[in-house]
Every structure is written in structure tokens, then in C-alpha cells.
Amino acid sequence: MADKGSHPSGAAGRAPAADRPTQLRNVVLVGHSGAGKTTLAESLALAAGAVNRAGRVQDGTTVSDHDDIEHRQQRSVQLSLVPLEWDGVKVNLLDTPGYADFVGELRAGLRAADAALFVVSAADGVDGATRMLWDECAAVSMPRAVVVTKLDTARADFDQVVEACREAFGGEDPDAVLPLYLPLHGGAPGHDGEPPVCGLVGLLTERVLDYSSGVREERAPDPVLRPALEEARGRLIEGIIAESEDETLMDRYLGGEAIDVKTLVEDLERAVARGSFHPVLAAAPPVEGSKQGIGTVELLELVTAGFPSPAEREAPPVTTPDGRPRPALACDPEGPLAAEVVKTSGDPYVGRLSLVRVFSGTLRPDAAVHVSGHGLADRGHEDHDVDERVGALSTPFGKHQHPAPKGIAGDIVCVARLGRAETGDTLSAKEQPLLMEAWEMPDPLLPVAVEAHSKADEDKLSQGLARLVAEDPTLRLEQNPDTRQLVLWCMGEAHADVLLERLRTRYGVQVDPVPYRVPLRETFGSAASARGRHVKQSGGHGQFAICEIEVEPLPTGGGFEFVDRVVGGAVPRQFIPSVEKGIRTQLAKGVASGHPVVDVRVTLVDGKAHSVDSSDAAFQTAGALALREAAAQAVIHLLEPVSEVRVLVPDDYVGTVMSDLSARRGRVLGTEPVPSGRLTLVRAEVPEVEISRYAVDLRSLSHGTGRFSREYARHEPMPPQVAARMREQEREAQPAGR
């Protein structure tokens, strides 16, 4: 971190290895889509010698070659691991998608990492979603640094984006977010009239790191740089000293004593490691002929010297699978085995691959392990409590896997042939099974109804969906009993597109999206009486059953009541349950628009039977006919589900969100500020018909900063004009001939 020079220790295509947790750094790249995370990961791999000058490993692929879908969509859609080695330290870079739909992949990266690099575009600045992620990392004291990218683009302004970072990330202490280097401009002006970035100026060492010749050269700064250098250096030194554990350092500095660079660097590294100081670095593409991107060496020095090793971070709490507490885990290769599946993917050649972070012990190929899973029944995930044998271990490099002899505590490896393990499951020793505390996973709130494209697809659909669910814990699979639709609950439209594409290309299953139907209900709005008459004679035994019923509405939540008031044996006792069964069957089918009927009392008051031709089936049919006849004489209300919605948005968007909820026939119940500041919780009751696409709409309203949850509250009558529109839409959606 003190401009020590280049120390690449990898070779293109060779998987790095570590023997001790102190030789490891697990770092997640965080930032909005288009900030340059993947490009930065490739530049760091190039600087470390993991790839050649063309950005490729020995087999010709790049470290970012992972998924054909990513190439087609021109964006990252999944977590990827880029392992490299620098100065004897193995660095596991976890590149995460920046698009909000793939937040599950981001959460997995945060779980597997011990520190975070927030990548901010110099042209676009800090968005609200990145600010919220910063706050989440702060809540768990994760060490963070900022990398300003795209300094070579038009509108790039390093000073301006640093001030934006200080305001967004600094909170009450903006001097905890300060640059370690300033970009150096030189050469012929670019297309925007500004000289390109050709190097950096180190604020602590007061040395220029010049890349303009294609080779990183160190020299003294030009006099013209002195004023800006001294101002920025003074602010940085004060920021470092403010975080120093040496309480005398500030007094010595203010007294005029020159603090040596070594002391400042050591204090800086300690402050970064404990998460109290967040340096800002700059990165730019390599100048022509250079083997290293500008700022990559300095960034690797920060990662290896300033970020903590896994041994310095606490592991997640563990229990036994049945919930009994266990001692806290230590990052010790000789300790009890405890590892977690942070990502699951399917490979057409080797089958299921599990990306595993080892928190304790050592994971070895072909070892017998216990798989424990929390289970997410509402999302289609089963509880896991089984023994398995792991397959080969490997380290990913683009699309290829390099064999790994073992995975020690703190490392991240790929495991083959874990047939039952899913994302979020714990791997532990068979004789000492453990279960790690689950990490927070967002609830998918965008429903996408699908149907199999053909009979062949229908036969393969369940197996393909089971594999998707195992890979993606943000996917919830629902077979709705009311609408009889197969529904994939997704994080957004892009997430849905990727899931359907994977289903088609990876598992050979073609499905067609169909309009999602909200599960509505019907109820009687007035009392009615009716007779059900089922009399047929067709030779031999006929069918004879007559029943008379009275129907009256019950209060909301009253369910269904059946009352027998038959006197004199008009309906024989053995056929009274048949009448009730026929009525229940018709209630499930609906009486007006095909939705189940709820909250009614049906009273059987009279009827007739025949000694030969009456039967169970006849009275079931008569009961159903009587209910349909009563519905024709009564007022039938269409009931819609209403959800209690909780929307968390920055204060700037509260008014917009409340107006939008009101336009959706919502009732705003109140607002309350969130203690962390800058956020407000809006509570409302909104019909589900109006919020089936709210996951997409809220993102647009709040520029990606809003989040919401919803919980079913009740069914209530739909306004007549809305009900009429819904019935018309349902009639139009019915296939011809039905």
C-alpha cells in the first residue's frame, strides 16, 4: 500500500493455492450495473499474471467467460469467482451482478467475502442502491474500500465523485472516506478535450507512479502538482491519525512533528482492516503497450496488506441441525469442518457444481460430509439433513475448472457431485453435524405464470424446475390451488428472463408465459332460496333427487356452514351428506365467474326422494344445481385479496410512493422514520390485483432504492366497476370453445 512495486506471483491459467488462512483474502466487488466490476476483475487478474496480455488464460478463455446468457444479455447475471495470487497471498475476487434483479447473487458474494470493494463509475457517481448496500456492510462491520473506475470516459470527474462518496458513505464522519492516490493526467487530449489518465500520485509517499511509457515508473511529482498534493495529503494524514490507536499521534502531528510514512501506513492498514477507514483508489485501463491497468498494482497492495484475512473475521453462528447451540467457529484448518454452499450451478458435463466457502476445518475430495439445510418450504426448498460424499474439488477459471487438492478454512472452492446440497446449505463432518445461521435473502415478489410448451416439455418440467430452485434461493415455485397456475415468483423481469432461458438451454424445457391470475373469491351479497331438481329416466334405474335450500351470507372469514332442517324424512338421512358434498363441490368451482365461494351458510330445508331411483350421485347433482339456482337469484360479490404492504424508501421518494399507492386503490396506514436515517417506512393496505408488478414499478419510482414486503391480510369486496372489468378480462382470456 506504500507503493512497494509489482509483485505478481501467478501464472496465466494456473490456479493459485494457499496453505494457511493468513495467506487468503476474500473480496467481493460491489457496484451498480455498468460501473466496471468485471473489467476491473480482469485488469487485476492481468496485473497478477493470472491471464496474459490479451486477458486470456492458457486455454484461450477469459476469467469472465461463465455463462452464454451473460454474453447474449451483455451483463453479469451471476456470482463469479476470479482467483489470483499477489505477493504470496491468494485473493478470491467475487464479482457480483450490479442489476437489482440478481441481488441473491450479491448476497451470496457478501456471505463468502471478508471485505468489499465498492466500484463507482467516475462518470455516473453513486446511486441509491449502492448507498444502501454500503449501509448493510457497515451494519456487520465489513471492511470496505472504494474504487473509482472509468476515468477515461467523458464526464469523468475524480474530485467530484470522491466528494459524492464522502457524502454517501462517510455518514457522520466523511473524513473516514478519503483518496490514497490522485489520478495523473498527461499526453495528447482525448476526444473530450482532456488529457487521458496516465498514472497516479501517491499521497503518503509523495511519489508519482507513471504508466505513460507502458511500464510503471516512479518519480518525484512536478512542482505544478504540489499545491493539490499537499492539500489532499494533509487531509488524508489527519483522517488516518483520527482512526489511529495511538492517542498521542494527533497531538504530535498538530505540534508540527512529521509523522513517518511507515507509521501512517501501519495505522491505515489497521483502520481499513477493522472497517473504520475507507480509502478511495482510482483505476483506469492500461495505456497502449502496458501490461498493467492504471491503479491495479496499488489496489492489489491494498487488498493484500489492508484487508483482513479470514482468520481475522468472525464466522457465522452455528447450531446442531436440531437447534442446539455450538461453540463459535475459529478459522482453523485443523478445526471441525464447517462450510457453506454459497452458489449452486448446473454444468452440462460434470453435473451440479457447488461453490463452497470453508469457514472451519479442511474439505477434501471424496470425503463423506453431512448436508444440513434450513429449508424454505414456501419457496420449494426442502429441509436437508443427509449424508453425502463430495466429488472432486476445483478452482474455477472462466468456464474451466482447475483441480484443487483441498479447501482449507477461509478458502473458496468448487465441489462436484453434491446431489442434495443447495445454495445456503451447510457441509460438516458426519460425526459432528452443524448448521450455520442463514443469511438474509430477499423475498421474490414478481409472479410469472408459465405453462409447458408441449407434452414433451411437460414431462421434463418438474425436474427442470427442481434444479432451478436448487440453484437459486431467490426463486419461489408455487402451484396455486385456486387458479391452478404454475407460478415462478422472481425478483424482476430480467431475473424471470434468465430463469426461463436457463430452463430452455440448460435443461431442455420450453415454457410459455401466460397472464398471472390473482386468486379471487366469490360470496353471496344477499339471501336466496332455490330448488335443485335432478330427475332423469333412461331405461332401467333412473336418477331422482330434489332438494330445497336457503343461502345466506356470513361475515368475512365465516367460511362455510351447512345446516340440516329437513323434517319428516323428505330427504333420507343417508343422502343428506350427499347434498352437502355436491354443494361443497360447486362452492369450489364458483357460481358466477369461476372463483371459489366463501362465507356462506346453506340450509337444507326440504326435498324429495324415490325409493329406487335416488342415489348418492343424484343428490350431489341436485345440491350443486340448487346452489347455482340460488346464485342466479342473489347478488354475488367478487372478493379480492388485500395485502398489508410495507415500503422502505429514501425520504426523497415518500411522497411519490404514497401517491402511487393511493392510485392503486391503496389505503395508506401511516409512515415512520427508520432509526438509521434517510429512510422512511410506508405502511398501506393494497389490493393484490394492483400490485402484481409492483416489484418492477417501485424500482422505477425510487430509482432502484425502494424495497417492499407484503403479507396477506384478507379478502374484501371488489368495487363493482373493477369487478365488471375483471370478469370481462377473464371472459376474453378463456380459450375458444370453453
Side-chain angles (χ1 to χ4, degrees), residues 37-106:
K37 298 183 297 298
T38 300
T39 301
L40 179 63
E42 293 176 348
S43 295
L44 293 172
L46 174 62
V51 297
N52 58 31
R53 291 181 62 179
R56 298 183 179 275
V57 294
Q58 287 176 345
D59 54 22
T61 63
T62 69
V63 293
S64 59
D65 278 337
H66 296 285
D67 197 316
D68 292 338
I69 297 175
E70 292 186 324
H71 290 290
R72 284 193 292 273
Q73 298 199 1
Q74 294 296 303
R75 64 181 168 196
S76 297
V77 301
Q78 62 180 356
L79 174 71
S80 60
L81 176 63
V82 181
L84 52 90
E85 193 171 345
W86 183 263
D87 206 18
V89 175
K90 180 186 178 184
V91 179
N92 289 316
L93 280 180
L94 294 151
D95 184 14
T96 63
Y99 198 65
D101 279 20
F102 308 106
V103 66
E105 304 285 324
L106 170 63

Side-chain angles (χ1 to χ4, degrees), residues 340-396:
E340 188 170 38
V341 179
V342 295
K343 177 179 172 57
T344 308
S345 60
D347 187 280
Y349 301 105
V350 299
R352 182 178 293 186
L353 281 174
S354 303
L355 189 65
V356 174
R357 161 72 193 260
V358 184
F359 287 94
S360 173
T362 299
L363 185 64
R364 303 183 188 278
D366 299 318
V369 298
H370 188 81
V371 179
S372 305
H374 295 272
L376 296 168
D378 64 324
R379 300 191 188 185
H381 296 260
E382 300 177 352
D383 273 323
H384 291 150
D385 196 10
V386 297
D387 292 334
E388 281 205 73
R389 184 171 295 277
V390 304
L393 303 185
S394 60
T395 299

Side-chain angles (χ1 to χ4, degrees), residues 428-735:
S428 55
K430 287 176 58 177
E431 62 277 6
Q432 192 176 351
L434 299 172
L435 179 63
M436 287 191 175
E437 181 182 77
W439 76 75
E440 181 184 354
M441 194 60 67
D443 194 21
L445 295 167
L446 179 70
V448 178
V450 297
E451 293 178 350
H453 183 71
S454 66
K455 180 63 170 67
D457 293 310
E458 188 173 342
D459 295 338
K460 298 183 291 184
L461 182 58
S462 60
Q463 184 178 10
L465 288 174
R467 291 176 175 176
L468 278 185
V469 168
E471 295 173 10
D472 190 348
T474 62
L475 168 64
R476 176 156 59 93
L477 185 63
E478 175 190 40
Q479 184 73 57
N480 192 289
D482 295 330
T483 64
R484 295 179 290 280
Q485 281 190 316
L486 178 63
V487 182
L488 308 181
W489 287 85
C490 308
M491 299 302 301
E493 291 177 315
H495 185 213
D497 290 343
V498 167
L499 290 172
L500 298 185
E501 181 74 359
R502 282 183 180 157
L503 198 59
R504 182 182 67 83
T505 59
R506 189 178 292 174
Y507 303 119
V509 182
Q510 177 77 39
V511 296
D512 300 320
V514 295
Y516 169 70
R517 299 198 298 270
V518 172
L520 304 177
R521 303 279 190 273
E522 298 172 354
T523 194
F524 279 68
S526 61
S529 301
R531 166 183 281 202
R533 185 176 185 274
H534 183 61
V535 178
K536 289 188 177 181
Q537 188 68 44
S538 57
H541 283 302
Q543 298 181 49
F544 187 97
I546 298 175
C547 61
E548 296 182 6
I549 63 171
E550 296 176 351
V551 184
E552 56 187 315
L554 291 177
T556 300
F560 168 65
E561 293 182 11
F562 180 80
V563 180
D564 171 22
R565 288 189 186 166
V566 175
V567 295
V571 177
R573 306 308 303 170
Q574 69 268 28
F575 294 135
I576 289 177
S578 303
V579 176
E580 180 180 357
K581 184 176 181 180
I583 290 171
R584 286 184 178 274
T585 300
Q586 190 62 51
L587 288 173
K589 293 179 180 179
V591 293
S593 53
H595 301 289
V597 180
V598 297
D599 302 336
V600 293
R601 178 187 293 121
V602 178
T603 303
L604 178 63
V605 295
D606 202 357
K608 292 182 180 180
H610 189 277
S611 59
V612 176
D613 292 342
S614 290
S615 65
D616 169 67
F619 271 100
Q620 284 190 46
T621 302
L625 289 170
L627 186 66
R628 292 204 298 269
E629 184 66 27
Q633 303 173 25
V635 175
I636 303 298
H637 291 313
L638 196 60
L639 303 179
E640 61 181 340
V642 176
S643 289
E644 182 176 342
V645 177
R646 298 164 65 88
V647 187
L648 187 66
V649 290
D651 298 339
D652 295 344
Y653 301 107
V654 171
T656 302
V657 167
M658 291 176 63
S659 297
D660 179 72
L661 290 173
S662 297
R664 297 172 186 269
R665 299 189 286 121
R667 294 183 290 272
V668 177
L669 304 179
T671 62
E672 53 191 79
V674 175
S676 60
R678 300 189 299 193
L679 295 174
T680 297
L681 180 67
V682 181
R683 294 182 296 106
E685 290 183 343
V686 191
E688 287 189 15
V689 170
E690 305 289 346
I691 56 172
S692 60
R693 288 183 52 82
Y694 194 58
V696 176
D697 298 337
L698 177 62
R699 189 174 301 159
S700 176
L701 286 171
S702 64
H703 296 274
T705 61
R707 291 175 289 178
F708 83 105
S709 62
R710 71 185 192 187
E711 184 176 355
Y712 170 78
R714 62 189 175 277
H715 274 72
E716 63 181 34
M718 183 180 283
Q721 66 276 17
V722 180
R725 187 173 69 247
M726 289 292 297
R727 290 190 177 105
E728 181 62 28
Q729 292 174 354
E730 289 174 347
R731 280 194 294 271
E732 293 176 355
Q734 287 291 332

Side-chain angles (χ1 to χ4, degrees), residues 116-120 126 130-131 134-135 138 142-148 158-182 203 231-243 268 271-272 275-282 302 678:
L117 284 175
F118 277 73
V119 182
V120 178
V126 183
T130 303
R131 184 183 294 113
W134 181 277
D135 292 339
M142 176 176 279
R144 287 145 285 150
V146 180
V147 186
V148 179
F158 181 78
D159 294 336
Q160 183 176 335
V161 81
V162 166
E163 286 306 311
C165 291
R166 284 164 50 79
E167 178 183 350
F169 303 149
E172 297 180 357
D173 185 14
D175 283 341
V177 182
L178 291 168
L180 293 184
Y181 303 89
L182 299 179
L203 296 182
E231 179 183 354
R233 186 175 191 270
R235 181 186 291 184
L236 174 62
I237 291 175
E238 290 181 9
I240 294 172
I241 290 175
E243 301 296 335
L268 170 65
V272 170
S276 61
F277 188 82
H278 315 291
V280 181
L281 295 93
L302 169 72
R678 300 189 299 193

